[in-house]
Amino acid sequence: MAEKKWEGTTYGNGLMHRWLIRLLRIIDIRVIYVLAYLFAVTPTLTKPGFKHAYRFFHDRFGYSKLRSLWLAYKNHCLFAQAVIDKFAMYAGHHFDIELEGYDHFLELAAKPEGFVQLSSHVGNYEIAGYSLVAETKRFNALVYSGEKEEVMSNRQKLFDHANINMIPIKGDMSHLFEINAALANGETVSIPADRIWGAHKAVRKTFLGREANLPAGPFQVVASRGLDALVVHVMKTGTKRYKIYVTPLQYDKNAPRNRQIDELADGYVRELERIIRQYPTQWYNYFDFWNQK
């Protein structure tokens, strides 16, 4: 993976976001989807992100040029749906959630020790924040500090009732102290593990047939404390349906630290590959992930 710093915010400004929430309270969500395809997705077809989506299907899956173009367009439409679904929740909508591996989450939530949930930019992970919540264990979500005020405000309104705390990623790295404090207090910390979010140290792994760099930081957090870790993905399966996959990561906690990190990264890549092969059009990394020049 490229040395990609954490960047990017939800499309649009505060006024657009407020109007979208109001519209979602009175208009069928499918109508909003169609409007997004016309006015948000179509202008992106000449942007670099569309090119990277095309190359993802053409180079990593070996699809024809025509099929890759179609899947890249479908991918952008599904990404628009994921963003709209997030605002639909702010507007009071509810989605039908199917859970696979939920027992793994409940088992760790019942323990006094903290644990880590590793996510990726696949599907709609924010939905998990409203679904996988333990009343007795606070959930801490690492988020981009530059996100739009309207998005952060609405997240906070929902999170306040769900025992969820947001930890903004900051340039001074102070978020690392908050992560350590939360884990020391026996809480859950959610960290994306497919983009650089702190130091640039990387773990190099074969991913979908080609070597890529994954950030070492999330795996170091787990190994440094000998914590349990889950990989969580939230995939859209229908207009108002999602399926959450919860998979535990196995590693030798008595092994040397570098080996622990390596085993954690291997397990994460295997699970990420499994999900992407099952839902290839819900991969939302719009940059040169494999450093293909």
Side-chain angles (χ1 to χ4, degrees):
M1 186 186 72
E3 289 291 318
K4 183 71 175 180
K5 292 183 180 180
W6 189 295
E7 60 182 38
T9 63
T10 302
Y11 176 80
N13 55 40
L15 179 62
M16 291 174 61
H17 295 165
R18 288 190 291 275
W19 270 105
L20 178 56
I21 293 171
R22 291 169 186 165
L23 287 173
L24 283 164
R25 288 175 178 149
I26 59 176
I27 297 178
D28 190 297
I29 194 171
R30 290 167 293 189
V31 175
I32 305 297
Y33 288 167
V34 173
L35 293 175
Y37 302 159
L38 295 174
F39 300 107
V41 174
T42 301
T44 68
L45 302 186
T46 58
K47 301 295 184 181
F50 188 83
K51 177 189 71 174
H52 292 308
Y54 166 81
R55 292 180 65 178
F56 170 71
F57 294 109
H58 187 263
D59 297 349
R60 302 276 58 83
F61 287 87
Y63 295 148
S64 67
K65 291 182 179 180
L66 186 60
R67 186 180 183 188
S68 296
L69 283 170
W70 164 246
L71 291 175
Y73 174 75
K74 184 178 179 181
N75 165 263
H76 278 61
C77 289
L78 284 170
F79 180 62
Q81 289 186 23
V83 174
I84 291 167
D85 289 351
K86 176 169 62 178
F87 282 92
M89 295 200 73
Y90 301 158
H93 287 244
H94 297 281
F95 294 89
D96 295 328
I97 305 294
E98 180 184 355
L99 291 162
E100 181 177 297
Y102 187 46
D103 55 319
H104 300 302
F105 174 84
L106 292 176
E107 180 183 349
L108 296 185
K111 293 181 178 181
E113 298 84 12
F115 67 93
V116 173
Q117 280 187 196
L118 299 179
S119 65
S120 59
H121 292 78
V122 175
N124 198 353
Y125 181 71
E126 188 164 329
I127 300 293
Y130 312 113
S131 306
L132 294 181
V133 180
E135 293 183 2
T136 57
K137 191 182 290 287
R138 189 163 75 157
F139 183 96
N140 297 271
L142 209 62
V143 298
Y144 176 53
S145 60
E147 182 55 280
K148 303 291 174 55
E149 181 180 350
E150 192 70 20
V151 175
M152 296 293 284
S153 174
N154 281 287
R155 279 176 177 168
Q156 193 61 59
K157 288 177 184 176
L158 290 175
F159 289 173
D160 281 344
H161 302 289
N163 201 24
I164 298 174
N165 175 56
M166 290 183 288
I167 300 178
I169 296 174
K170 300 175 182 176
D172 62 3
M173 307 300 285
S174 60
H175 55 275
L176 296 178
F177 296 102
E178 293 188 58
I179 290 172
N180 286 328
L183 292 171
N185 197 38
E187 299 173 5
T188 306
V189 174
S190 172
I191 306 174
D194 62 342
R195 290 188 194 174
I196 301 296
W197 55 269
H200 283 210
K201 188 174 181 180
V203 181
R204 194 156 184 81
K205 293 295 176 184
T206 299
F207 176 56
L208 292 177
R210 181 164 179 161
E211 284 196 337
N213 290 333
L214 295 174
F219 310 114
Q220 290 174 330
V221 169
V222 176
S224 65
R225 290 180 172 273
L227 300 171
D228 290 315
L230 301 173
V231 182
V232 177
H233 289 108
V234 185
M235 313 308 297
K236 191 173 179 69
T237 57
T239 302
K240 300 199 72 173
R241 296 195 306 274
Y242 278 91
K243 184 170 183 177
I244 300 179
Y245 295 85
V246 182
T247 305
L249 282 184
Q250 306 295 336
Y251 70 107
D252 184 355
K253 295 181 180 179
N254 296 315
R257 182 69 51 79
N258 286 342
R259 182 177 159 191
Q260 291 182 41
I261 293 171
D262 196 57
E263 290 179 1
L264 286 164
D266 280 337
Y268 175 81
V269 165
R270 284 195 301 270
E271 179 60 13
L272 184 56
E273 280 190 334
R274 181 180 78 90
I275 292 296
I276 289 175
R277 292 188 186 281
Q278 191 171 349
Y279 302 92
T281 52
Q282 294 189 49
W283 161 265
Y284 304 133
N285 276 295
Y286 300 122
F287 62 95
D288 191 0
F289 198 89
W290 286 268
N291 283 337
Q292 300 175 104
K293 302 300 181 184

